[in-house]
């Protein structure tokens, strides 16, 4: 069974940093492109970052470019999101999502909540 | 920057069919098979229900179908059931990936 479990969320002050993790199981992680998608409380979905299967290509939404860094460790079936210079508007549930190869996301984690507040 | 416009809400009675539209401001929706749809129940992660405009993943009910006309993609739910009450999001690639604002489906 495909499973992805995010962790690392929590309460952080504006300007602070957090590192999110997503541990995958039940599939060959190194063969799949991965993404982070977030959802602010009561709001819609927002794609924020993509990484290729080997980690050689990364893309970011304009809202996080220069502040967030996506990475992966294929040996440990893990995806990461380093978030720096956090803002109040970064408050959201952060989901990791597996790319099915057709520009859609067929499996999602349960999400981890990041709250940026003073 | 691309935007995808969805109606904020759609409702229907059990057994009816409803359609949710998703209109793109660029030609990506019309020119590429890169539209997907997601269902999200309250407190749950999104679930892929349509990919590449018209395709259903394995295990998704055939009551869900996708289509496209020009720069507008649509999701139709046939034989509406209580369990279909959820938020629905379209998504398209246009340089990067964009979601529509979401549509809340209410089963009357």
């Amino acid at each position: 069974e495909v499973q992805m479990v995010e962790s690392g969320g929590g309460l952080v002050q504006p300007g602070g940093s957090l590192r999110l993790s997503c541990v995958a199981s039940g599939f060959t992680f190194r063969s799949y492109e991965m993404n982070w998608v977030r959802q602010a409380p009561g709001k819609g979905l927002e794609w924020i970052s993509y990484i290729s299967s080997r980690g050689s290509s990364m893309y970011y939404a304009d809202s996080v470019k220069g502040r967030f860094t996506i990475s992966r460790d294929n040996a440990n079936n893990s995806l990461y999101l380093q978030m720096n210079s956090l803002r109040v508007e970064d408050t959201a549930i952060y989901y990791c999502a597996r790319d099915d190869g057709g520009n859609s996301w067929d499996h999602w984690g349960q999400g981890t909540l990041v709250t940026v507040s003073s | 920057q691309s935007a995808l416009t969805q109606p904020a809400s759609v409702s229907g009675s059990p057994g009816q069919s409803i359609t949710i539209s998703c209109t793109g401001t660029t030609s990506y929706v019309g020119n590429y098979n890169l539209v997907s749809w997601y269902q999200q129940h309250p407190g749950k992660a999104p679930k892929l229900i349509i990919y590449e405009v018209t395709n259903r993943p394995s295990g998704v009910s055939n009551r869900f179908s996708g289509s496209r006309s020009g720069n507008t993609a649509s999701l139709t739910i046939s034989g509406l059931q209580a369990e279909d009450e959820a938020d629905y999001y379209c998504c398209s690639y246009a340089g990067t990936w964009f979601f529509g604002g979401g549509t809340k489906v209410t089963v009357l």
Side-chain angles (χ1 to χ4, degrees):
Chain A
E1 178 191 4
V2 172
Q3 193 169 12
M4 294 178 296
V5 180
E6 300 96 334
S7 62
L11 175 63
V12 61
Q13 292 188 335
S17 298
L18 274 179
R19 188 193 196 205
L20 306 184
S21 300
C22 169
V23 177
S25 60
F27 65 101
T28 306
F29 179 74
R30 65 179 181 272
S31 297
Y32 286 84
E33 300 159 349
M34 297 293 294
N35 294 264
W36 287 98
V37 177
R38 70 183 180 183
Q39 186 170 35
K43 302 297 184 181
L45 300 171
E46 179 189 17
W47 169 84
I48 58 170
S49 190
Y50 157 96
I51 188 166
S52 61
S53 59
R54 296 184 179 183
S56 55
S57 296
M58 292 83 78
Y59 302 115
Y60 301 93
D62 288 344
S63 58
V64 305
K65 198 173 296 182
R67 301 187 298 123
F68 290 11
T69 302
I70 190 171
S71 63
R72 64 190 297 160
D73 178 353
N74 285 344
N76 289 298
N77 295 336
S78 295
L79 175 72
Y80 303 104
L81 186 68
Q82 177 66 43
M83 305 186 296
N84 298 331
S85 303
L86 282 162
R87 305 168 180 168
V88 170
E89 56 264 35
D90 294 319
T91 295
I93 296 172
Y94 286 72
Y95 296 99
C96 61
R98 188 182 84 167
D99 193 309
D100 65 0
N103 285 287
S104 52
W105 305 306
D106 61 351
H107 288 278
W108 298 61
Q110 86 290 347
T112 187
L113 176 62
V114 172
T115 303
V116 185
S117 175
S118 55
Chain B
Q1 179 163 340
S2 176
L4 299 174
T5 301
Q6 300 180 231
S9 63
V10 173
S11 61
S13 299
Q16 286 187 329
S17 293
I18 61 169
T19 297
I20 302 169
S21 61
C22 172
T23 301
T25 58
T26 70
S27 59
Y28 274 88
V29 170
N31 291 344
Y32 301 93
N33 292 333
L34 299 173
V35 176
S36 53
W37 289 89
Y38 299 85
Q39 176 193 59
Q40 187 180 35
H41 288 105
K44 301 294 187 182
K47 174 187 175 183
L48 177 66
I49 56 172
I50 295 289
Y51 66 97
E52 294 177 350
V53 182
T54 61
N55 297 309
R56 263 189 322 274
S58 174
V60 172
S61 172
N62 60 8
R63 298 185 298 104
F64 294 95
S65 62
S67 61
R68 177 177 56 193
S69 175
N71 217 34
T72 296
S74 298
L75 173 71
T76 297
I77 309 175
S78 304
L80 199 61
Q81 299 181 0
E83 68 207 49
D84 300 330
E85 189 160 290
D87 294 324
Y88 293 82
Y89 295 91
C90 63
C91 181
S92 179
Y93 180 80
T96 56
W97 290 267
F98 295 92
F99 285 95
T103 299
K104 182 176 182 59
V105 168
T106 300
V107 181
L108 301 172

